[in-house]
Structure formats: C-alpha cells, structure tokens
Amino acid sequence: MIDFNYETDFALENEDVISSWLSKVIVSEDKKEGEINYIFCDDEYLLKINLEYLNHDTLTDIISFDYSMGNELNGDVFVSVDRVRDNANDFKVSFEEELRRVLVHGILHYCGYKDKTTSDEQIMRSKEDEKLAMFHVEH
C-alpha cells in the first residue's frame, strides 16, 4: 500500500493516479508492494532528518529509509517540496515532472538501484526515464 502524508502546506492533486503508477513501477521491476509511505515536507524538516540520521548538513530533495524484506518493498520516503520546486526551476522542467522523478527515484532505490558513482547514476537516470514514460503512456 502506498500512502501519502503531509508535513507541509502541500497536497498531491492526483494521489490515486500517482499511487497506481508507482504500483505498476514496482511490478515492472518484479517486486511486491509492501507499505510505502511518502512524507512531503519542507527543507527545514528534511534537513533535520538529514542531520539526525545521516549526519549530513546539506539540503536534499529526498531521503528514503528502506525497510524492504526480500522481494517486498517497504519504506519511508521523505520529499522536500521546496527542493523539488527549486530543482524543477534549475532543470527547466515542470514541478509535476520533477516531483514524479523524485517519487520514482525512491522506489528505484528500494529496487536496488544506486546513484553514488557516475555509472550508477547513469543507470538510475535511465531507469527514472523509463518509469516516467510509463506514467505518460497511461495518462
């Protein structure tokens, strides 16, 4: 089950559509959907988590905590709406597109994809593009 939670003044307009798409992404990676919680917050909220749990004193758009068991994906994905908005401007894409990229990025981490090295990052970007295309095909 995919749940959306809000710690800031933001709400997805189409929770059902996004949830359905993310469920299809999980199946497309031969994984099972467990409990995945998205928590939308602001920069300040996510910075506190970054400092407390990862000892990083930097702003970020997403932090995911992976509780997956075997093939079943479970976890908490924290998303800074502020960072997504700024990144969308920087990358010259719509807020909605950048948000979908971040949402699927968290799922792809749970599927085992990494982004710490240049080659891993290239694979991650390719997978993000592939999964974003699944959203556009359906809607």
Side-chain angles (χ1 to χ4, degrees):
M1 180 170 66
I2 297 174
D3 280 323
F4 301 104
N5 306 277
Y6 304 96
E7 295 292 335
T8 188
D9 187 22
F10 168 81
L12 286 173
E13 293 177 14
N14 49 359
E15 284 186 0
D16 292 343
V17 171
I18 297 287
S19 179
S20 173
W21 165 61
L22 292 170
S23 295
K24 289 179 176 131
V25 166
I26 291 167
V27 170
S28 76
E29 289 291 322
D30 295 322
K31 302 291 183 183
K32 292 181 185 167
E33 182 179 316
E35 289 187 31
I36 299 173
N37 295 298
Y38 283 93
I39 302 95
F40 295 96
C41 56
D42 60 17
D43 277 345
E44 185 180 335
Y45 188 102
L46 199 53
L47 179 59
K48 286 179 186 172
I49 290 171
N50 214 2
L51 282 165
E52 183 175 343
Y53 294 98
L54 302 175
N55 206 23
H56 296 162
D57 189 10
T58 56
L59 296 175
T60 188
D61 53 359
I62 179 175
I63 296 176
S64 56
F65 294 94
D66 188 354
Y67 312 123
S68 297
M69 296 174 284
N71 231 21
E72 184 181 277
L73 305 186
N74 295 278
D76 294 326
V77 182
F78 292 84
V79 177
S80 169
V81 176
D82 297 335
R83 276 308 92 220
V84 171
R85 192 167 282 117
D86 285 354
N87 289 345
N89 287 333
D90 291 346
F91 300 137
K92 297 181 180 17
V93 298
S94 71
F95 171 78
E96 291 76 16
E97 182 174 343
E98 184 63 16
L99 181 62
R100 286 191 298 268
R101 183 174 296 278
V102 168
L103 296 179
V104 81
H105 184 91
I107 296 289
L108 291 170
H109 270 308
Y110 296 164
C111 292
Y113 297 98
K114 309 285 183 224
D115 58 3
K116 294 296 181 205
T117 68
T118 303
S119 62
D120 285 347
E121 190 174 346
Q122 288 173 338
I123 293 167
M124 176 67 89
R125 293 295 163 261
S126 175
K127 277 291 179 180
E128 288 171 1
D129 291 342
E130 174 188 316
K131 304 313 179 186
L132 285 167
M134 289 173 59
F135 182 87
H136 295 298
V137 165
E138 293 176 20
H139 305 96

